[in-house]
Structure formats: structure tokens, C-alpha cells
Amino acid sequence: MSGIQLPLRISGLLGLYACLLACQPKAGNDRSAAVPYYNTPTFTPVWLTDPAEVDKTITHRIANFSFRDQTGQVVTQAAVADRIHVANFFFTSCPSICPRMTNLLKTVQDTFRHEPRVKLLSFSVTPWLDSVPRLRRYADQKGVLDSKWHLLTGSRGAIYDLARQSYFAEEAIGFTRDSTEFLHTEHIILVDQQRRIRGVYNGTQPLDIDKLIADIRALLP
């Protein structure tokens, strides 16, 4: 190799390296670009970085709601306004997946215990059984923090419609079902500050909960 070719090759490599650095996400909240959007019940990930493109492309939002939590207080979408929230669907008498989901969600609660920008919402799918006093007992048994985690009960139809039409709780299969068909899913849904769905996780798998925690951190400003 000649003395001219070597400097040219080094110069070319440095230029390539500089280009690669320029293409890397910048520090700060650009970490959120690593978390996709979900706009349909098929849960097909949509990767976007341009805010204008996000606003134009991601049209789905979690609908307004109003339910009572374990304290008897009415909880609406205002409780999660400008906050990240994690949602799941459970019932207190569930003998199988619900206890495991609740225990793993407690890890999320404890991780973000002192982070007011993160909330957890657990909607009962047997609200005719899960009264406020029953949710109170369940919350106490499971170590649920009232300020961080709302266990919600109310109208069955309203909960089921919100689960299937807003949170896509059962993906495409559940989207077409009505409120007379029982809802039972291990899915945990991550929603950003603009009420857009950013993740779906298996609530019985510790590795999925680790991913959920990492994605929440990426979405925090």
C-alpha cells in the first residue's frame, strides 16, 4: 500500500465513523424512539421519531373513563394526564394468572415508587363481585400503594369496552367481542403521556416485566 493510499483510507474511515455518530440517537428523551407505537389491535409496532409524523400517523388514544378505586374515590383519565401508565385486567378471586401478574406488577410499583409521573391501573373484569371493600382488602394483602396504583371497579360494559376498544387487551381477537363475553388476559399495556399505546407484555413473565421497566425509563423525560 502506498503512502498516499493509507492516509486516504484512514480519512475515509474517520468520515464513516463521524457519519455513524451523527446517526445515533441524541441524549435525553430521544431514548423514547427505542419504544414503538401501537395503533391497531394487531399490535403491529410502528417506529417513528419525528413528532409531526407521530401526530399524523398515531391516531389511537385511550378513551376517557370513570371508575372507583380501592379507596372509594372516583378515578378518571385525569389521574394519568401527562403521566405514563401501566394497565392490566384482573379479578380478585382469580386463582391462576392474576396473582402472578399482581406480584410482578408490584415490582413495577416499587421500582417507580418515588416517581410521580408513573401510575398503575388494574381494572377488575368481575366488577359485580369486586366491590370497593373487596378491592381494599386485596390491595392491603398485595402491598398496593393507593397513591401509585389504582384497583378499579365499575360498570362491566364500560370496563370491557375500554379494555377491548381502547387498550386492545386481547389483541385483534378481543376487539370484535362485546361486553357479554368474559375478558381474561395476561397482557399488560404501557401507555405514554399522550395516552398512546407503547407496549404490550406478558404479565406472567419476569423477563417481560424487566422489558416493561426499561421501556418506562426510556419514555420518562
Side-chain angles (χ1 to χ4, degrees), residues 7 12 19-20 36 39 45 49 51 53 61 64 104 119 132 147 160-161 163 175-176 182-183 188 205 217:
C19 180
L20 289 172
N39 208 36
T49 55
E53 192 66 21
R61 299 289 190 279
N64 293 344
L104 288 173
K119 291 276 190 177
V132 168
S147 61
Y160 278 39
D161 285 346
F175 191 72
T176 57
F182 188 66
L183 170 68
I188 290 175
Q205 299 299 318
R217 286 179 170 143

Side-chain angles (χ1 to χ4, degrees), residues 2-14:
S2 71
I4 295 175
Q5 289 174 320
L6 184 58
L8 285 175
R9 177 165 293 188
I10 292 173
S11 176
L13 289 173
L14 289 174

Side-chain angles (χ1 to χ4, degrees), residues 29-84:
N29 196 38
D30 283 356
R31 296 174 304 165
S32 66
V35 185
Y37 297 87
Y38 296 91
N39 208 36
T40 67
T42 61
F43 274 105
T44 302
V46 180
W47 302 91
L48 297 169
T49 55
D50 180 7
E53 192 66 21
V54 170
D55 290 339
K56 183 173 70 173
T57 305
I58 308 302
T59 56
H60 183 76
R61 299 289 190 279
I62 302 301
N64 293 344
F65 58 85
S66 179
F67 302 108
R68 289 194 182 273
D69 72 0
Q70 69 270 20
T71 70
Q73 297 299 307
V74 174
V75 175
T76 70
Q77 66 282 352
V80 292
D82 301 318
R83 291 181 171 94
I84 294 163

Side-chain angles (χ1 to χ4, degrees), residues 136-149:
R136 175 74 273 161
R137 290 193 297 271
Y138 189 84
D140 291 342
Q141 290 166 3
K142 300 297 183 181
V144 169
L145 299 175
D146 295 343
S147 61
K148 175 64 62 177
W149 189 351

Side-chain angles (χ1 to χ4, degrees), residues 162-221:
L162 187 73
R164 289 177 168 139
Q165 302 296 317
S166 276
Y167 286 104
F168 304 147
E170 294 173 315
E171 298 187 66
I173 295 173
F175 191 72
T176 57
R177 292 177 176 171
D178 63 33
S179 60
T180 65
E181 297 183 77
F182 188 66
L183 170 68
H184 199 207
T185 176
E186 72 275 13
H187 287 166
I188 290 175
I189 311 300
L190 174 62
V191 181
D192 70 13
Q193 296 91 328
Q194 288 74 44
R195 292 198 279 174
R196 301 173 300 209
I197 296 176
R198 301 300 295 271
V200 56
Y201 313 85
N202 186 322
T204 67
Q205 299 299 318
L207 285 178
D208 269 32
I209 299 303
D210 290 344
K211 180 65 167 60
L212 167 61
I213 289 170
D215 287 348
I216 292 172
R217 286 179 170 143
L219 293 180
L220 285 170

